[in-house]
Coordinates of all heavy atoms in Angstrom, one line a residue:
G16 N 0.8 -1.2 0.0 CA 0.0 0.0 0.0 C 0.8 1.3 0.0 O 2.1 1.2 0.0
Y17 N 0.1 2.4 0.1 CA 0.8 3.7 0.0 C 1.4 4.0 1.4 O 0.9 3.6 2.4 CB -0.2 4.8 -0.3 CG -0.8 4.7 -1.7 CD1 -2.2 4.6 -1.8 CD2 0.0 4.7 -2.8 CE1 -2.7 4.6 -3.1 CE2 -0.6 4.6 -4.0 CZ -1.9 4.6 -4.2 OH -2.5 4.5 -5.4
N18 N 2.5 4.7 1.4 CA 3.1 5.3 2.7 C 2.2 6.4 3.1 O 1.9 7.3 2.3 CB 4.5 5.8 2.4 CG 5.2 6.1 3.7 OD1 4.5 6.3 4.7 ND2 6.5 6.2 3.7
N19 N 1.7 6.3 4.3 CA 0.7 7.3 4.8 C 1.2 7.9 6.1 O 0.4 8.6 6.8 CB -0.7 6.7 5.0 CG -0.7 5.6 6.1 OD1 0.3 5.0 6.3 ND2 -1.9 5.4 6.6
T20 N 2.5 7.8 6.4 CA 3.0 8.4 7.7 C 4.3 9.1 7.3 O 5.2 8.5 6.7 CB 3.3 7.4 8.7 OG1 2.0 6.6 8.9 CG2 3.6 8.0 10.1
T21 N 4.5 10.4 7.8 CA 5.6 11.2 7.4 C 6.9 10.5 7.9 O 7.9 10.6 7.2 CB 5.5 12.6 8.0 OG1 4.3 13.2 7.5 CG2 6.7 13.4 7.7
D22 N 6.9 9.9 9.0 CA 8.2 9.3 9.6 C 8.4 7.9 9.3 O 9.2 7.2 9.9 CB 8.2 9.6 11.1 CG 8.3 11.0 11.5 OD1 8.9 11.8 10.6 OD2 7.8 11.4 12.5
T23 N 7.7 7.4 8.3 CA 7.9 5.9 7.9 C 8.7 5.8 6.6 O 8.5 6.6 5.7 CB 6.5 5.2 7.7 OG1 5.7 5.4 8.9 CG2 6.6 3.8 7.3
A24 N 9.6 4.9 6.6 CA 10.5 4.7 5.4 C 9.6 4.2 4.3 O 8.7 3.4 4.4 CB 11.5 3.7 5.7
S25 N 9.8 4.8 3.0 CA 9.1 4.3 1.8 C 9.9 3.2 1.2 O 11.1 3.3 1.2 CB 8.9 5.5 0.9 OG 8.1 6.5 1.4
A26 N 9.3 2.3 0.5 CA 10.0 1.3 -0.3 C 10.4 1.9 -1.6 O 11.5 1.5 -2.1 CB 9.0 0.1 -0.6
G27 N 9.7 2.9 -2.2 CA 10.0 3.5 -3.4 C 8.8 4.2 -4.0 O 7.8 4.4 -3.3
V28 N 9.0 4.6 -5.3 CA 7.9 5.4 -6.0 C 7.4 4.5 -7.1 O 8.2 4.0 -7.9 CB 8.6 6.7 -6.5 CG1 7.5 7.5 -7.2 CG2 9.2 7.5 -5.4
V29 N 6.1 4.4 -7.2 CA 5.5 3.6 -8.2 C 5.8 4.3 -9.6 O 5.8 5.4 -9.8 CB 3.9 3.6 -8.1 CG1 3.3 2.8 -9.2 CG2 3.6 3.0 -6.7
D30 N 6.1 3.4 -10.6 CA 6.5 3.7 -11.9 C 5.7 4.9 -12.4 O 4.5 4.9 -12.6 CB 6.3 2.5 -12.9 CG 6.8 2.8 -14.3 OD1 7.2 3.9 -14.6 OD2 6.8 1.8 -15.0
E31 N 6.4 6.0 -12.7 CA 5.8 7.3 -13.2 C 5.2 7.1 -14.6 O 4.4 8.0 -15.0 CB 6.8 8.4 -13.2 CG 8.0 8.1 -14.2 CD 9.1 9.0 -13.9 OE1 9.0 10.3 -14.0 OE2 10.2 8.5 -13.7
H32 N 5.6 6.1 -15.4 CA 5.1 5.9 -16.7 C 4.0 5.0 -16.9 O 3.5 4.7 -18.0 CB 6.3 5.5 -17.6 CG 7.5 6.4 -17.6 ND1 7.4 7.7 -18.2 CD2 8.7 6.3 -17.1 CE1 8.5 8.2 -18.0 NE2 9.3 7.4 -17.3
L33 N 3.4 4.6 -15.8 CA 2.1 3.7 -15.8 C 1.0 4.6 -16.3 O 1.0 5.9 -16.1 CB 1.8 3.2 -14.5 CG 2.7 2.1 -14.0 CD1 2.4 1.7 -12.5 CD2 2.6 0.8 -14.8
T34 N -0.1 4.0 -16.8 CA -1.3 4.8 -17.1 C -1.9 5.3 -15.8 O -1.6 4.9 -14.7 CB -2.3 3.9 -17.8 OG1 -2.8 2.9 -16.9 CG2 -1.7 3.3 -19.1
S35 N -2.9 6.2 -15.9 CA -3.6 6.8 -14.8 C -4.4 5.7 -14.0 O -4.7 5.9 -12.8 CB -4.5 7.9 -15.2 OG -5.5 7.4 -16.0
A36 N -4.6 4.6 -14.6 CA -5.3 3.4 -13.8 C -4.3 2.8 -12.8 O -4.7 2.1 -11.9 CB -5.8 2.4 -14.8
G37 N -3.0 3.0 -13.0 CA -2.0 2.4 -12.1 C -1.8 1.0 -12.3 O -2.0 0.4 -13.4
V38 N -1.3 0.3 -11.3 CA -0.9 -1.1 -11.4 C -2.0 -1.9 -10.5 O -2.2 -1.6 -9.4 CB 0.5 -1.4 -10.9 CG1 0.7 -1.0 -9.5 CG2 0.9 -2.9 -11.0
A39 N -2.6 -3.0 -11.2 CA -3.6 -3.8 -10.5 C -3.0 -4.6 -9.4 O -1.8 -4.9 -9.4 CB -4.3 -4.6 -11.5
N40 N -3.9 -4.9 -8.4 CA -3.5 -5.9 -7.3 C -2.9 -7.1 -7.9 O -3.4 -7.7 -8.9 CB -4.7 -6.2 -6.5 CG -4.3 -7.0 -5.2 OD1 -3.3 -6.6 -4.5 ND2 -5.0 -8.0 -5.0
N41 N -1.8 -7.6 -7.3 CA -1.1 -8.9 -7.7 C -0.3 -8.7 -9.0 O 0.4 -9.7 -9.4 CB -2.0 -10.1 -7.8 CG -2.4 -10.6 -6.4 OD1 -1.5 -10.6 -5.5 ND2 -3.6 -11.1 -6.3
D42 N -0.2 -7.6 -9.6 CA 0.6 -7.3 -10.8 C 2.0 -6.9 -10.4 O 2.2 -6.4 -9.3 CB 0.0 -6.2 -11.7 CG -1.0 -6.8 -12.7 OD1 -1.2 -8.0 -12.7 OD2 -1.5 -6.0 -13.5
V43 N 3.0 -7.2 -11.2 CA 4.4 -6.8 -11.0 C 4.6 -5.5 -11.7 O 4.1 -5.3 -12.9 CB 5.4 -7.9 -11.5 CG1 6.8 -7.4 -11.3 CG2 5.1 -9.2 -10.7
F44 N 5.3 -4.6 -11.1 CA 5.6 -3.3 -11.7 C 7.0 -2.8 -11.3 O 7.7 -3.4 -10.4 CB 4.5 -2.3 -11.3 CG 4.5 -1.9 -9.8 CD1 5.2 -0.8 -9.4 CD2 4.0 -2.7 -8.9 CE1 5.2 -0.4 -8.0 CE2 4.0 -2.4 -7.6 CZ 4.6 -1.3 -7.1
W45 N 7.5 -1.7 -11.9 CA 8.8 -1.1 -11.6 C 8.6 -0.1 -10.5 O 7.7 0.7 -10.5 CB 9.4 -0.4 -12.8 CG 9.8 -1.3 -13.9 CD1 9.4 -1.4 -15.2 CD2 10.9 -2.2 -13.8 NE1 10.0 -2.3 -15.9 CE2 11.0 -2.8 -15.1 CE3 11.8 -2.7 -12.8 CZ2 11.9 -3.8 -15.4 CZ3 12.7 -3.6 -13.1 CH2 12.8 -4.2 -14.3
L46 N 9.5 -0.2 -9.5 CA 9.5 0.6 -8.3 C 10.8 1.4 -8.3 O 11.9 0.8 -8.3 CB 9.4 -0.2 -7.0 CG 9.3 0.6 -5.8 CD1 7.9 1.3 -5.7 CD2 9.5 -0.4 -4.6
T47 N 10.8 2.7 -8.5 CA 12.0 3.5 -8.4 C 12.5 3.6 -7.0 O 11.8 4.0 -6.1 CB 11.8 4.9 -8.9 OG1 11.3 4.8 -10.3 CG2 13.1 5.8 -8.9

């Protein structure tokens, strides 16, 4: 899920080149 706390480490940023629909549950995607 999304990072929703200021002081929590983020895993990364969801691929900026995905469509506005984003990445579906259980799909694999690029994480910056």
